[in-house]
Amino acid sequence: MLTCIIRYQIDPTKKAAFTRYAQNWGQAIPRCGADLIGYYAPHEGSSTLAYGIYNIESLAAYEAYRNRLAADPLGRENYEFAQSERFLLREDRTWLKQVSQPHGAPA
């Protein structure tokens, strides 16, 4: 299992647009095959950093998921929304794999 953490730099004057974008992904991402942990918008401190976090089985599964997401009507609409509203200034993906047990899990 891999975890993708997307770090966004957003326009601080367009937080509402980012919230709409995140809520749309909240529907499309699980439907297209990834385990969405959540989207996180600025609250305190930095007003420009936001995150999206989801799990997926492998990079091969990620490629198939991305194809489904690009074909999904809400996915396409959300990509177009981000392009037209220009609230995403930067988007970086980091891929991680869990190497410890979750809190409370047997060792």
Side-chain angles (χ1 to χ4, degrees), residues 55-72:
N55 293 318
I56 198 145
E57 276 189 43
S58 65
L59 290 177
Y62 171 72
E63 291 303 320
Y65 152 78
R66 291 285 291 180
N67 289 333
R68 288 189 300 273
L69 198 59
D72 183 84

Side-chain angles (χ1 to χ4, degrees), residues 23-70:
Q23 290 169 343
N24 287 341
W25 284 141
Q27 296 173 47
I29 288 172
R31 181 172 56 236
C32 292
D35 174 25
L36 180 65
I37 304 302
Y39 267 76
Y40 301 86
H43 176 69
E44 192 71 28
S46 173
S47 63
T48 61
L49 290 180
Y51 294 88
I53 305 170
Y54 62 89
N55 293 318
I56 198 145
E57 276 189 43
S58 65
L59 290 177
Y62 171 72
E63 291 303 320
Y65 152 78
R66 291 285 291 180
N67 289 333
R68 288 189 300 273
L69 198 59

Side-chain angles (χ1 to χ4, degrees), residues 3 5-7 16 21 23 26 30 34-35 38-39 41 43 45 47 56 62 75 84 92-93 96 99 101 103 105:
T3 300
I5 299 177
I6 308 168
R7 180 180 185 255
Y21 175 79
Q23 290 169 343
D35 174 25
Y39 267 76
H43 176 69
S47 63
I56 198 145
Y62 171 72
S84 68
D92 297 309
R93 281 178 175 69
L96 304 171
V99 296
Q101 294 296 320
H103 176 72

